[in-house]
Amino acid sequence: MTRPIFIPLAVLGALLGVAAAGSLSALVTAPRPTIDVPATANREVAVLAGGCFWGVEGVYRHVKGVIDVSSGYSGGAASTARYEATSSGTTGHAESVRIVFDPTKVSYGEILRIYFSVVADPTLKDRQGPDSGTQYRSALFPTTPAQAKVARAYISQLSSARVFNRPIVTTIEPFKGFYPAEREHQNFMARNPSCPYIVINDRPKVEALRRQFPANWRG
């Protein structure tokens, strides 16, 4: 992601108004998945990528049934799971989040529904918001065969329903592992609420979650 910069408040306000309006106007409320992973009493893990991990993590921390969220890297080797290496776009890694959740309170399908509605624009290839490169791709890393089945079915469902005005380019990739990011990237949004990058790019996503998914919202 673009590193934090300092912007005068007057300029920041103008940028926020334009960026938020543009971002929110592009959001949709995706339909519920017709196929979902059956609920069990066991915790599950979802791993996905949708641009800068700060905002993705920030959204899912407000979802009921989510037990823990962490930022990190997935898609490449353990030896290159570092911020500077991943930022080169040559490691195979995407900035990702690992979501531990209670499937009796929120299903994997619902996690995907939130993802496609307010987290990422699935029609953008190798970029989200102001960030570009393969490390910012829209990708799902199912951790079980059941999750992979649901992910494929849901993308097909959204495509058939023409929920988006461009083809979905979100990839479904083999889960090779998740490697936690450096400490400074964990819970970044909550710790830096006034960071211009967060205010402009990520806060509107959290507000969209609260507005579009009140039953899933946790303040």
Side-chain angles (χ1 to χ4, degrees):
M1 74 294 298
T2 305
R3 291 189 178 275
I5 57 174
F6 294 99
I7 302 176
L9 287 178
V11 176
L12 177 59
L15 287 173
L16 176 59
V18 173
S23 298
L24 293 176
S25 65
L27 296 175
V28 303
T29 300
R32 295 183 183 277
T34 55
I35 298 175
D36 208 341
V37 178
T40 68
N42 299 320
R43 293 181 177 183
E44 289 194 36
V45 174
V47 177
L48 47 80
C52 172
F53 44 29
W54 293 345
V56 182
E57 178 189 358
V59 169
Y60 284 105
R61 283 187 178 275
H62 288 283
V63 174
K64 286 181 182 177
V66 169
I67 299 166
D68 184 61
V69 191
S70 53
S71 291
Y73 313 103
S74 197
S79 60
T80 58
R82 304 183 308 277
Y83 181 76
E84 294 301 330
T86 297
S87 295
S88 70
T90 62
T91 65
H93 281 299
E95 289 196 10
S96 306
V97 298
R98 178 179 184 267
I99 304 164
V100 181
F101 64 99
D102 179 348
T104 66
K105 297 180 179 178
V106 62
S107 69
Y108 180 69
E110 194 69 5
I111 285 173
L112 295 187
R113 185 184 183 212
I114 290 169
Y115 174 87
F116 285 103
S117 297
V118 304
V119 171
D121 183 339
T123 69
L124 299 178
K125 183 175 175 57
D126 295 338
R127 66 185 179 93
Q128 290 291 320
D131 303 312
S132 61
T134 59
Q135 68 272 31
Y136 299 113
R137 66 188 182 273
S138 170
L140 308 177
F141 299 93
T143 61
T144 67
Q147 287 187 2
K149 178 180 179 180
V150 169
R152 289 192 298 268
Y154 194 44
I155 289 178
S156 177
Q157 176 187 340
L158 296 178
S159 298
S160 296
R162 299 183 181 274
V163 172
F164 301 95
N165 58 11
R166 295 188 299 269
I168 294 174
V169 298
T170 301
T171 56
I172 301 174
E173 304 180 24
F175 178 64
K176 301 176 181 178
F178 175 84
Y179 308 97
E182 296 79 356
R183 183 176 180 181
E184 61 265 28
H185 293 298
Q186 304 299 335
N187 205 17
F188 186 92
M189 187 173 181
R191 293 187 294 103
N192 300 274
S194 299
C195 169
Y197 183 97
I198 294 295
V199 173
I200 294 170
N201 299 291
D202 296 330
R203 189 182 296 171
K205 297 178 182 179
V206 175
E207 288 302 310
L209 171 71
R210 180 183 59 80
R211 186 180 63 254
Q212 294 175 226
F213 295 90
N216 297 102
W217 171 257
R218 178 178 65 194

